[in-house]
Amino acid sequence: MTKDEFYMGKALAEAKTAYAVGEIPIGAVIVYEKKVVARAYNLRESLPCATAHAELLAIEKACRALNRWRLTGCTLYVTVEPCPMCAGAIVNSRLDRVVYGCDDPKAGAVRSLFHLVDNDCLNHRTEVTAGVRAEECAALMKDFFRQRRKK
């Protein structure tokens, strides 16, 4: 198992917690110097708050844990490709790297619809690795929405 697959497993565990509480199953972890400094899952329904995406919650926690807003030296692992709002936060927080599981063809702002995090027009560019444990990430999302449609 690669380092990326290992940490994506931690993000998948967060996504499974989201699923269990009725949230869209997206999980995120932020790693700094080989340690998880933040973990989160979607909480939009639970809070309720439109901005309570796993990535934003993890970024907020990492900033507090490291006592700084610049997350240079950090990698974000997230189960689903970030949306435009989260991609903006990734750029603004100066994350070095984003690793995501499955693409989001309806709202993806890293590769699918937009290329925000590595856009030359912006003041920071983030390295991207896509497709890590993609099948597992996609299966969790598909199962969640299949179950939701049954209700």
Side-chain angles (χ1 to χ4, degrees):
M1 178 177 288
T2 68
K3 172 186 73 164
D4 286 347
E5 291 168 338
F6 174 78
Y7 288 118
M8 186 60 72
K10 298 206 175 287
L12 274 161
E14 294 296 312
K16 289 173 183 173
T17 301
Y19 190 121
V21 299
E23 294 281 351
I24 293 175
I26 298 175
V29 298
I30 295 180
V31 176
Y32 178 68
E33 294 182 346
K34 300 180 183 179
K35 289 191 288 192
V36 174
V37 295
R39 59 183 71 233
Y41 54 86
N42 273 10
L43 285 173
R44 288 193 311 177
E45 301 297 331
S46 300
L47 287 181
C49 180
T51 62
H53 288 205
E55 301 95 320
L56 291 183
L57 297 170
I59 287 169
E60 290 172 10
K61 289 178 179 181
C63 289
R64 284 194 302 274
L66 298 172
N67 198 33
R68 57 189 168 103
W69 67 267
R70 287 182 185 89
L71 297 179
T72 52
C74 294
T75 299
L76 167 69
Y77 291 86
V78 61
T79 56
V80 177
E81 179 182 8
C83 72
M85 175 178 67
C86 294
I90 289 164
V91 171
N92 285 329
S93 64
R94 313 298 198 266
L95 281 157
D96 282 357
R97 189 166 174 246
V98 173
V99 179
Y100 73 86
C102 61
D103 291 335
D104 183 349
K106 293 183 179 180
V110 175
R111 290 283 183 269
S112 295
L113 297 177
F114 308 104
H115 288 248
L116 290 180
V117 301
D118 57 0
N119 188 306
D120 289 336
C121 296
L122 298 175
N123 63 336
H124 176 77
R125 280 160 293 292
T126 301
E127 180 186 333
V128 176
T129 301
V132 175
R133 296 179 73 168
E135 293 83 18
E136 291 171 79
C137 296
L140 192 59
M141 293 289 284
K142 287 176 186 169
D143 187 60
F144 176 81
F145 286 109
R146 187 178 308 115
Q147 294 301 321
R148 183 179 263 189
R149 283 189 296 274
K150 283 182 183 177
K151 293 178 182 179

